[in-house]
Amino acid sequence: MQGATKQPIAVVIILYAFLIAVAITCLLPFYSMFITSTHANSDIARRLLLIPGDQFMANYERLIDTVNIWRGFLNTVFITVTATAINLYFAALGGYGFSKYQFRFKGFLFLFVLGTMMIPGQLGIIGFYKLMDAFHMLNTYWPLILPSIYNAFGIFLMKQFADSSVPTEIIESGRIDGSGELAIFHRIVLPLMGPAMATLGIFAFIGKWNDFLNPMIILFDNELQTLPVMIASVKSQFSSDFGAQYVGIVISVVPILIFFSFMSKRIISGVAAGAVKG
C-alpha cells in the first residue's frame, strides 16, 4: 500500500517538473529581451546578459530621439484593432454561411477558398501594389485594413466550429420567432462562436501587429508608419542601435502579451461553459 501511494506522487512531481521546465523554456526569450533592453550596445554585442542593467532609460531616450515610437504605437493599434475586428466579423459570417446554408457550387467554392491558403501572399505583392496605386490608396491605411475582410483560414476555422457547436435547431427556432437572417447571426450565432472568434482573434491580432512587409511598401510618410517598421529603422549609417531596438521590441511585445492573456481566458471560459451546457 505504501508503494502504491508513493507512485502517483512521484508521477505528479515528474509531471509538474516537466511543465515548469517547459514554462521556463517558453519564458526565457521574453526574459532575455527585457534584460537586453537594459544594457548598453557594447554589452549586448560582447557577452551573454543574465542580470538587469541600468541603461534602459538611456536606450529609451535614443529611441524616441530617432523615431516617433508612440505615434507608431498608436498607428499600429488603430490598424490592428480595426483589421482584427473586420477579420473576425467577416470570417464568422463566411464560415456560418458555408456551414448552415445550402447553395449551388458550395463544395467547389469552399475548396477554392481553402486553395487560396496554398498561395504565399508575397507572390501577389507587386500586383497588390499596382492595384492600390490604381485606386489611389497608396500611403493610406486602407490597403492594410480592407484585405482583412477575406481570411481563408478564418473561414475554415469558423465553418468547422459552426458545424460542431452551432445547432441548426436554434437557428430554426429563431426563424420561427420571426427573426431575420442577420438578426439570427448577430444575436444567436455570434455569441455561440465566441471561443472560435477568440482563437482566430489571437492569430489575426498578432499577425497584423507584427506585419512588416505591407506597411513598409504601402506607407511612405514616416508619421504613418507602424511599430515594426519604426523599430527596424532605428540604426545609424554604419551600425544598428541594439539597445534602442530592444526597448522598442519591449514596447511592441507588451500589448501582444496583454491581448493574448485576455483572449485565452475567453477561450477557456467559452469551452468550460460549453462543457457545462453539454
Side-chain angles (χ1 to χ4, degrees):
M1 293 294 294
Q2 187 175 0
T5 57
K6 285 185 178 180
Q7 185 174 0
I9 296 176
V11 172
V12 171
I13 292 175
I14 294 174
L15 179 60
Y16 272 93
F18 173 74
L19 293 177
I20 291 173
V22 172
I24 292 175
T25 303
C26 295
L27 293 175
L28 190 60
F30 295 99
Y31 175 79
S32 176
M33 175 188 63
F34 283 106
I35 293 301
T36 305
S37 67
T38 64
H39 287 268
N41 287 327
S42 57
D43 294 333
I44 296 174
R46 193 170 50 189
R47 56 192 175 88
L48 179 64
L49 304 173
L50 299 176
I51 59 175
D54 58 355
Q55 297 297 311
F56 183 85
M57 291 307 302
N59 294 335
Y60 173 75
E61 290 175 0
R62 292 200 310 276
L63 174 67
I64 61 176
D65 287 341
T66 305
V67 295
N68 192 351
I69 193 68
W70 294 112
R71 176 61 184 268
F73 183 88
L74 294 177
N75 296 342
T76 307
V77 168
F78 172 75
I79 294 171
T80 303
V81 172
T82 306
T84 300
I86 292 174
N87 192 334
L88 292 179
Y89 179 81
F90 283 98
L93 188 63
Y96 168 67
F98 275 115
S99 174
K100 301 302 179 182
Y101 288 86
Q102 300 299 325
F103 49 89
R104 292 186 63 185
F105 307 116
K106 172 183 174 181
F108 171 77
L109 289 175
F110 186 65
L111 289 177
F112 178 79
V113 170
L114 295 183
T116 60
M117 296 173 60
M118 304 179 185
I119 304 174
Q122 291 81 359
L123 293 181
I125 195 67
I126 297 177
F128 178 70
Y129 181 89
K130 291 183 177 180
L131 183 64
M132 294 300 101
D133 186 23
F135 288 159
H136 304 288
M137 290 185 179
L138 293 180
N139 203 35
T140 69
Y141 291 149
W142 291 113
L144 305 178
I145 295 175
L146 291 180
S148 299
I149 293 176
Y150 171 74
N151 183 351
F153 172 75
I155 293 174
F156 170 76
L157 178 65
M158 293 299 178
K159 179 186 180 302
Q160 297 303 108
F161 188 85
D163 287 341
S164 60
S165 301
V166 179
T168 306
E169 293 79 6
I170 296 180
I171 300 173
E172 294 296 336
S173 299
R175 290 169 179 164
I176 293 173
D177 291 338
S179 298
E181 296 299 322
L182 284 179
I184 293 174
F185 173 72
H186 291 144
R187 298 177 183 177
I188 299 176
V189 177
L190 276 182
L192 293 175
M193 300 179 73
M197 294 184 69
T199 303
L200 179 61
I202 291 174
F203 290 110
F205 186 93
I206 295 177
K208 183 58 67 173
W209 185 273
N210 293 327
D211 188 15
F212 176 80
L213 180 61
N214 289 323
M216 184 181 64
I217 294 174
I218 297 297
L219 302 176
F220 310 137
D221 190 350
N222 291 332
E223 292 298 314
L224 297 177
Q225 283 293 358
T226 58
L227 206 53
V229 178
M230 285 191 177
I231 293 173
S233 65
V234 180
K235 56 184 178 180
S236 64
Q237 183 177 0
F238 302 103
S239 63
S240 297
D241 191 342
F242 295 112
Q245 284 184 330
Y246 271 102
V247 173
I249 294 172
V250 170
I251 296 174
S252 177
V253 166
V254 168
I256 295 178
L257 297 178
I258 296 174
F259 182 83
F260 180 83
S261 176
F262 174 77
M263 297 305 287
S264 62
K265 291 180 180 179
R266 172 78 186 209
I267 295 172
I268 295 171
S269 62
V271 172
V276 172
K277 291 178 183 178

